[in-house]
Amino acid sequence: MNRLARAAALLFAVVLLASCGARSTTTTPAGHTGHTGHAAKATVAAAPLRAGERFLNLTMAEPYTPNPPNGGTDDYRCFLIDPKLAGKVFLTGAQFQPQNLDLVHHAIFFRIDPEHAAKAREIDQRTPGQGWTCFGDDGVGDSSWVAHWAPGTSETLLDPKYGYELPPGSRLVMQVHYNLLGVEGKPGTDRSGIRLRVTDQTLRPLETALFQAPVELPCTSKESGPLCDRAAAVKDVGARFGEELKDQVAILTKYCGPVKPGPTQHCDMPVEGTATVHAMAGHMHLLGRAIKVELNPGTPKARTLLDVPEYNFDDQSLRVLPKPVTVSKGDVVRVTCTHDAGLRAQLPQLQKLPPRYVVWGDGTSDEMCLGIAIVTPGAA
């Protein structure tokens, strides 16, 4: 999967970045409901297996000690996992099992088709230690997002006639965002895993579509410093996560419209083909206040796909739509996010960091505006 291109690319003309993650805090500022501890929610009992389903438990080969590059506090690490599939199965549910919640703050699972498995193995073998650094995406390309976890996320079951196709010989890449901000002393290790719910039955295939909007959040009137300059902040993001991240900021600006600094930003994305939306989730970081995803806003066909007026970082669960919604070529999807730079002074994890003009970035002190949609190609 290309960092600046596709998820369900035949369905949506979108700019995407398949990453997420930040660190929750144990203190909730006044007037902000969004950042409490989530360790108590780590273990959730599985729903009973449905007809034809079975569980497949996978884990990392060995414990991993996070080591953030470039002097940062964020380590995005990709681990290659072989589910040893002798035949084609469909993935109907997934429950990530984070082993160290002090460190783990998101995980995304990408399917690598058999013809690209050798490339993934080569990347893994040439990189010292377990796995490889993978800010933004899986670092392999030609992959598909099939599952994810963020605080508050558990297994979400759709109608059992839908699933993500996993061909025989395919691999999974588990991207984990480790964040060390607020971790005192040695960070410890992690050996997370996932429980897959699979079936040998042939189902209608699912895809994951991502909708992005830019983030252009200036420092507050009470803040000052070198990184309150936008150009300096963008340069800093590039230094921490690579030049591609700077390109991402520029592409979002070009795609979504001229930069207009402020707490609320949105982006309109045209639909390029027919698809059916089954579930939605929204993702921002610690400065997030609200996120909304709309279909054809301002028209007689307008409807809301996702509305989270009080964003809670610790509840990023998928919301299953009351009824699947079909979108068609010519429709427009708008994602809108509101962030609050004033929260930086209230959140213990951010208080010690220098104030910054916040743009799209992979780290806890950066931000995102991302709508995640679970779709099937074609009409319902």
Side-chain angles (χ1 to χ4, degrees):
M1 179 171 64
N2 187 299
R3 182 173 191 162
L4 304 177
R6 68 174 184 76
L10 296 178
L11 306 178
F12 303 97
V14 300
V15 178
L16 74 90
L17 181 68
S19 63
C20 46
R23 176 84 158 83
S24 68
T25 175
T26 56
T27 301
T28 301
H32 190 61
T33 62
H35 310 116
T36 58
H38 58 271
K41 303 177 183 179
T43 301
V44 180
L49 289 167
R50 299 173 296 187
E53 294 179 334
R54 65 182 185 275
F55 286 132
L56 182 61
N57 292 293
L58 305 171
T59 190
M60 296 160 54
E62 59 188 53
Y64 174 71
T65 302
N67 183 27
N70 307 321
T73 57
D74 299 279
D75 184 1
Y76 278 61
R77 198 72 176 179
C78 278
F79 305 94
L80 185 62
I81 298 177
D82 183 2
K84 302 185 185 305
L85 299 176
K88 181 172 69 175
V89 301
F90 280 81
L91 175 66
T92 56
Q95 191 164 2
F96 179 62
Q97 298 168 326
Q99 189 266 327
N100 188 340
L101 278 167
D102 287 336
L103 303 175
V104 179
H105 297 285
H106 101 255
I108 301 173
F109 287 79
F110 300 93
R111 181 193 69 211
I112 306 294
D113 289 334
E115 59 267 30
H116 304 296
K119 179 180 179 182
R121 287 195 300 270
E122 191 275 329
I123 294 172
D124 193 22
Q125 291 169 1
R126 74 168 184 248
T127 306
Q130 185 181 192
W132 62 91
T133 298
C134 54
F135 290 120
D137 58 18
D138 62 3
V140 179
D142 299 303
S143 60
S144 299
W145 174 322
V146 296
H148 78 279
W149 176 88
T153 300
S154 187
E155 184 179 47
T156 300
L157 300 181
L158 300 178
D159 187 309
K161 67 183 178 184
Y162 301 106
Y164 288 93
E165 183 178 355
L166 299 179
S170 58
R171 302 292 192 272
L172 292 177
V173 169
M174 179 173 74
Q175 181 207 61
V176 183
H177 175 189
Y178 297 103
N179 183 265
L180 275 61
L181 193 63
V183 178
E184 302 296 335
K186 295 182 179 180
T189 64
D190 173 65
R191 193 179 184 185
S192 293
I194 191 170
R195 182 177 59 219
L196 304 180
R197 182 187 295 259
V198 301
T199 178
D200 297 322
Q201 302 173 68
T202 298
L203 308 179
R204 287 193 60 184
L206 291 172
E207 300 282 353
T208 303
L210 308 180
F211 305 100
Q212 291 179 224
V215 179
E216 296 288 342
L217 186 65
C219 291
T220 70
S221 59
K222 298 179 181 180
E223 296 176 318
S224 62
L227 292 178
C228 288
D229 175 73
R230 183 182 186 276
V234 173
K235 183 178 179 180
D236 176 71
V237 163
R240 285 183 287 131
F241 304 114
E243 290 299 308
E244 283 190 348
L245 204 291
K246 290 174 60 178
D247 295 340
Q248 174 76 8
V249 174
I251 287 176
L252 282 170
T253 299
K254 181 178 180 180
Y255 186 89
C256 302
V259 173
K260 294 181 180 179
T264 300
Q265 304 291 335
H266 77 272
C267 190
D268 290 346
M269 285 144 283
V271 175
E272 295 297 316
T274 301
T276 301
V277 183
H278 299 277
M280 294 285 314
H283 177 72
M284 299 184 288
H285 291 178
L286 298 181
L287 303 181
R289 282 286 193 184
I291 183 168
K292 190 173 187 178
V293 181
E294 302 167 274
L295 179 65
N296 299 317
T299 75
K301 299 191 299 179
R303 65 186 304 167
T304 299
L305 302 178
L306 176 72
D307 188 11
V308 185
E310 294 185 357
Y311 177 75
N312 182 349
F313 179 80
D314 295 315
D315 181 13
Q316 300 182 50
S317 57
L318 280 164
R319 273 74 164 174
V320 178
L321 275 58
K323 183 180 179 181
V325 174
T326 297
V327 298
S328 303
K329 184 175 177 63
D331 287 339
V332 171
V333 175
R334 173 180 293 175
V335 58
T336 303
C337 290
T338 298
H339 296 87
D340 184 357
L343 292 172
R344 186 162 41 220
Q346 302 178 52
L347 295 172
Q349 292 172 270
L350 301 182
Q351 287 174 344
K352 296 180 181 180
L353 299 179
R356 66 175 61 244
Y357 185 116
V358 179
V359 294
W360 184 284
D362 289 354
T364 300
S365 59
D366 310 300
E367 269 300 340
M368 292 185 183
C369 176
L370 181 65
I372 304 168
I374 308 303
V375 308
T376 48

